[in-house]
């Protein structure tokens, strides 16, 4: 299988330096712990939605889902579409509640809603689940890099873990969401570029359909049964709506309306793009038949078909997607370690500067643990199987109290704790029994967890303090934000923000243009030329609009 050329490494390095510059720039604007973790509630909903999409996106799609598409075709799209529903649910029912809650971390509200014990339980166990999930994501990028380069899997994991950790430390959530948006542009460009190249190499769409008709059946494969799909969709809806990064994006925007727009736009992105991401993996059946490891399908096609230099940008785009996802994860995990654990249990009266340094040290800790664990994920059967198994066992018991605790005031603290303890124990037992399918084990676990959590609501609390606290909290959730509670983004800051996008898009467009010109005459370079012109024109348009926010003085804050 082909590997990257020298020009690919150069383009990759230049792009990473661009991203580093963005992170350092926004690090200058971090003034306190609230800005570091939620951007001072000033993140525009459009940028927040793209960041939300990228935060749930990673090389996992190009490895695990591409492997499914290679084996079973469009069924991979059915699986990816499961991500649409949690976004719609959040937009309709949860987004405005998260924004009105006034929290800094996703588990912070649990102390007000239940008690400090529930908050600490969910902080510690939730961190464990997030570590497991991020180990799977790092494993996926390790597979991708190993396939495309001469690095060993061990080297790929170590390099990825170091780079992602370093990027997250610098600028907080503002740096994360801005980099997410820029990486989104490059990722979409690179992915769309590969689609016509893959179809052409496969002899055209008609030839691909004729040669592999089963791959164009939406219900192809051993898991393509109504029960399996129903349970998987339910699982993903619970998992995403309890995902700390997902929740963080909803309370980081300025108001309730913005949180709803964020959810609906994220859903639209997840609905539109899966087909474009997975077509090259399906075409790999013709281009790279008989792959020993189906998870290498997408990257194998990309290395084979993209011109030198452009493949480096593709790798940068996919690495950036994973980096976006893990940047967000490391940031919010550090938030829980700092605000929910360190600040509560170790040092309550520290300065904002002190907590920012603690947050950055916690990111280093998160990065080390996740990187080390990623080396062993392969023993669980690959990225998709590991993610599905770990999510089914651990995420469900944590998700139900976290999601429905903000929707219903009847369940009691004992119900939240019992749901976690019994749910995890039951999940381990059921998934260890060979006679029970994964979907049946997961459905039983979900049913029992719901019964325990909501069943606790039938036992009325005798604590007047608890009842009054919960009633006050739900009154807060029902009360729209006042004008004074909705922050206004400084025009000076918007001007700088526009200029950052202008510079990054212009540099990206120029970089793609240069790579395309070095391989002129090929189909890939011709498409890249059009894309580079689009990015340059887009940067010019943004520069024109940025003049509306031109600072009237030298101050940016």
């Amino acid at each position: 299988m082909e590997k990257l050329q020298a020009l690919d490494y150069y383009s990759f390095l230049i792009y990473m330096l661009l991203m580093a510059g963005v992170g350092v720039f926004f690090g200058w604007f971090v003034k306190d712990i609230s800005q570091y973790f939620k951007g001072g509630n000033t993140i525009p909903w459009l940028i927040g939605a793209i960041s939300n999409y990228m935060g749930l996106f990673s090389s996992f799609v190009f490895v695990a889902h591409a492997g499914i598409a290679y084996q079973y075709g469009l069924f991979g799209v059915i699986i990816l579409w499961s991500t649409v529903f949690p976004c719609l649910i959040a937009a309709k029912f949860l987004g405005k509640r998260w924004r009105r809650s006034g929290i800094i971390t996703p588990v912070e509200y649990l102390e007000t809603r239940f008690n400090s014990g529930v908050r600490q339980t969910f902080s510690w166990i939730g961190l464990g689940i997030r570590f497991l999930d991020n180990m799977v994501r790092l494993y996926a990028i390790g597979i991708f890099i190993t396939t495309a380069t001469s690095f060993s899997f061990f080297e790929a994991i170590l390099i990825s873990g170091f780079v992602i950790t370093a990027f997250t430390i610098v600028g907080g959530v503002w740096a994360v969401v801005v980099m997410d948006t820029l990486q989104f542009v490059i990722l979409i460009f690179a992915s769309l570029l590969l689609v016509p190249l893959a179809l052409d190499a496969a002899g055209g769409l008609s030839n691909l359909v004729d040669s592999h008709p089963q791959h164009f059946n939406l219900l192809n494969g051993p898991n393509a049964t109504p029960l399996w799909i129903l349970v998987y969709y339910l699982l993903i809806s619970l998992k995403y709506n309890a995902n700390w990064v997902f929740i963080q994006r909803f309370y980081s925007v300025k108001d309730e309306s913005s949180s709803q727009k964020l959810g609906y736009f994220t859903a639209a992105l997840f609905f539109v793009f899966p087909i474009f991401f997975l077509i090259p993996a399906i075409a790999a059946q013709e281009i790279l038949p008989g792959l020993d490891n189906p998870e290498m399908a997408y990257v194998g096609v990309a290395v084979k078909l993209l011109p030198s230099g452009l493949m480096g940008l593709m790798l940068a785009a996919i690495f950036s997607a994973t980096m976006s996802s893990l940047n967000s994860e490391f940031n919010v995990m550090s938030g829980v370690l700092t605000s929910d654990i360190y600040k509560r249990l170790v040092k309550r009266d520290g300065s904002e500067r002190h907590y920012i340094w603690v947050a950055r040290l916690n990111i280093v800790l998160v990065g080390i643990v996740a990187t080390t664990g990623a080396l062993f994920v392969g023993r669980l059967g690959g990225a998709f199987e590991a993610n599905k198994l770990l999510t089914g066992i651990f995420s469900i018991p944590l998700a139900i109290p976290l999601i429905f605790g903000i929707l219903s005031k009847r369940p009691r603290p004992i119900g939240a704790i019992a749901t976690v303890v019994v749910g995890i124990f039951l999940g381990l037992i059921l998934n260890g029994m060979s006679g029970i399918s994964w979907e049946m084990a997961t459905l039983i676990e979900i049913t029992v967890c719901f019964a325990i959590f909501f069943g606790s609501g039938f036992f009325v609390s005798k604590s007047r303090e608890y009842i009054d606290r919960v009633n006050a909290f739900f009154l807060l959730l029902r009360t729209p934000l006042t004008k004074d509670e909705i922050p206004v983004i400084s025009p000076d800051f918007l001007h700088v923000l526009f200029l950052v996008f202008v510079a990054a898009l212009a540099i990206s467009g120029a970089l793609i243009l240069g790579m395309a010109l070095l391989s002129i005459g090929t189909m890939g370079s011709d498409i890249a030329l059009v894309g580079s012109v689009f990015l340059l024109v887009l940067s010019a348009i943004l520069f024109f609009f940025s003049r509306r926010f031109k600072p009237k003085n030298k101050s940016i804050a």
Side-chain angles (χ1 to χ4, degrees):
M1 190 175 290
E2 289 89 343
K3 301 289 184 181
L4 296 186
Q5 304 300 311
L7 189 58
D8 294 309
Y9 289 104
Y10 291 137
S11 62
F12 181 89
L13 179 61
I14 292 171
Y15 185 78
M16 289 295 104
L17 290 174
L18 171 65
M19 293 296 101
V22 172
V24 171
F25 176 84
F26 278 95
W28 294 344
F29 291 94
V30 177
K31 295 181 176 63
D32 57 43
I33 200 72
S34 174
Q35 285 189 334
Y36 194 75
F37 292 125
K38 62 174 183 175
N41 297 114
T42 55
I43 294 174
W45 69 265
L46 183 61
I47 293 178
I50 293 174
S51 178
N52 196 31
Y53 175 71
M54 295 295 286
L56 300 171
F57 198 91
S58 69
S59 56
F60 185 82
V61 171
F62 297 106
V63 173
H65 288 280
I68 295 172
Y70 181 82
Q71 293 176 286
Y72 308 116
L74 292 181
F75 181 62
V77 177
I78 293 293
I79 292 178
L80 260 181
W81 272 343
S82 64
T83 54
V84 173
F85 290 93
C87 300
L88 295 176
I89 292 170
K92 180 67 176 177
F93 302 106
L94 295 168
K96 63 182 180 181
R97 290 172 177 259
W98 291 126
R99 178 60 187 90
R100 290 172 181 171
S101 67
I103 57 177
I104 292 179
T105 71
V107 296
E108 178 183 339
Y109 94 93
L110 292 174
E111 182 165 353
T112 302
R113 170 61 183 86
F114 297 110
N115 56 40
S116 60
V118 173
R119 179 179 182 178
Q120 289 300 314
T121 299
F122 276 70
S123 296
W124 286 102
I125 299 180
L127 282 170
I129 304 308
R130 301 267 34 92
F131 274 121
L132 293 173
D133 198 37
N134 293 329
M135 290 171 190
V136 174
R137 299 182 191 216
L138 269 173
Y139 165 83
I141 192 60
I143 291 292
F144 198 97
I145 292 175
T146 302
T147 306
T149 70
S150 57
F151 289 115
S152 67
F153 179 73
F154 179 78
E155 292 169 335
I157 290 294
L158 290 186
I159 293 171
S160 300
F162 173 78
V163 172
I164 291 166
T165 302
F167 270 57
T168 312
I169 289 173
V170 180
V173 70
W174 253 114
V176 170
V177 297
V178 171
M179 285 192 290
D180 282 348
T181 309
L182 299 176
Q183 290 159 2
F184 170 79
V185 175
I186 300 297
L187 175 67
I188 297 304
F189 167 78
S191 302
L192 294 179
L193 170 63
L194 190 58
V195 170
L197 296 179
L199 289 177
D200 181 69
L205 180 61
S206 59
N207 179 65
L208 194 60
V209 173
D210 291 341
S211 301
H212 306 278
Q214 71 281 3
H215 277 59
F216 292 86
N217 177 1
L218 289 174
L219 298 179
N220 178 44
N223 293 329
T225 65
L227 179 61
W228 192 97
I229 294 172
L230 174 65
V231 172
Y232 187 78
Y233 271 54
L234 181 58
L235 174 67
I236 294 300
S237 294
L238 290 171
K239 177 185 177 181
Y240 275 27
N241 275 298
N243 182 290
W244 290 354
V245 174
F246 190 81
I247 294 171
Q248 185 194 52
R249 293 299 178 263
F250 283 93
Y251 63 68
S252 296
V253 294
K254 69 174 186 176
D255 56 23
E256 301 100 321
S257 175
S258 295
S259 69
Q260 290 184 307
K261 292 175 184 176
L262 185 152
Y264 287 129
F265 191 66
T266 306
L269 293 174
F270 272 119
F271 181 76
V272 171
F273 287 111
I275 186 68
F276 297 107
F277 293 145
L278 296 185
I279 282 178
I282 298 174
Q285 280 286 351
E286 283 289 301
I287 303 167
L288 300 170
L291 280 177
D292 293 331
N293 185 355
E295 292 185 335
M296 295 182 175
Y298 192 97
V299 64
V301 169
V303 174
K304 184 178 182 66
L305 298 181
L306 289 176
S308 181
L310 292 177
M311 179 55 212
L313 291 180
M314 165 63 83
L315 180 61
I318 295 177
F319 184 85
S320 295
T322 303
M323 186 169 70
S324 296
S325 174
L326 290 171
N327 283 161
S328 301
E329 288 281 348
F330 288 8
N331 181 276
V332 77
M333 289 171 70
S334 173
V336 172
L337 280 168
T338 304
S339 295
D340 295 287
I341 295 177
Y342 179 85
K343 192 173 181 179
R344 297 284 299 171
L345 303 180
V346 181
K347 189 177 180 66
R348 289 176 175 266
D349 57 351
S351 65
E352 291 295 337
R353 183 178 178 83
H354 173 78
Y355 289 129
I356 288 176
W357 277 107
V358 171
R360 286 170 171 159
L361 290 174
N362 280 331
I363 287 174
V364 174
L365 172 65
V366 170
I368 291 173
V369 175
T371 301
T372 303
L375 297 170
F376 303 97
V377 169
R379 299 181 182 181
L380 296 175
F384 184 81
E385 288 301 318
N387 183 68
K388 184 186 73 173
L389 178 64
L390 295 174
T391 297
I393 294 175
F394 298 106
S395 294
I396 291 169
L398 286 170
I400 290 173
L402 188 62
I403 296 169
F404 293 94
I406 206 169
L407 290 173
S408 173
K409 65 180 180 181
R410 289 184 62 87
R412 298 274 308 284
I414 187 63
I417 298 293
T419 299
V420 173
V421 174
V422 175
I424 292 177
F425 184 70
L426 180 63
L428 289 170
I429 293 176
L430 291 174
N431 282 277
M433 298 174 64
S434 58
I436 300 180
S437 65
W438 169 84
E439 57 267 34
M440 186 55 66
T442 303
L443 186 59
I444 293 172
E445 184 181 3
I446 291 173
T447 304
V448 171
C449 286
F450 268 112
I452 293 173
F453 184 64
F454 283 99
S456 69
F458 289 103
F459 301 92
V460 180
S461 175
K462 297 179 181 179
S463 170
R464 190 72 250 171
E465 184 275 334
Y466 170 79
I467 294 172
D468 291 342
R469 172 161 43 87
V470 172
N471 286 336
F473 178 68
F474 276 86
L475 177 61
L476 173 68
L477 297 181
R478 292 193 300 269
T479 305
L481 295 173
T482 64
K483 185 176 181 180
D484 292 338
E485 293 175 310
I486 300 175
V488 178
I489 303 177
S490 164
D492 292 349
F493 186 84
L494 282 176
H495 177 73
V496 175
L497 182 62
F498 266 101
L499 291 182
V500 170
F501 279 100
V502 168
L505 289 172
I507 294 172
S508 299
L511 184 59
I512 293 171
L513 178 63
M515 297 300 107
L517 290 175
L518 290 175
S519 56
I520 196 72
T522 64
M523 182 180 179
S525 65
D526 292 342
I527 298 174
L529 283 173
V530 176
S532 65
V533 171
F534 171 78
L535 291 179
L536 292 171
V537 171
L538 181 59
S539 68
I541 293 173
L542 288 180
F543 178 74
F544 174 78
F545 278 106
S546 73
R547 299 174 64 183
R548 296 173 53 191
F549 306 103
K550 188 174 181 179
K552 296 179 177 61
N553 51 60
K554 294 182 179 180
S555 173
I556 299 176

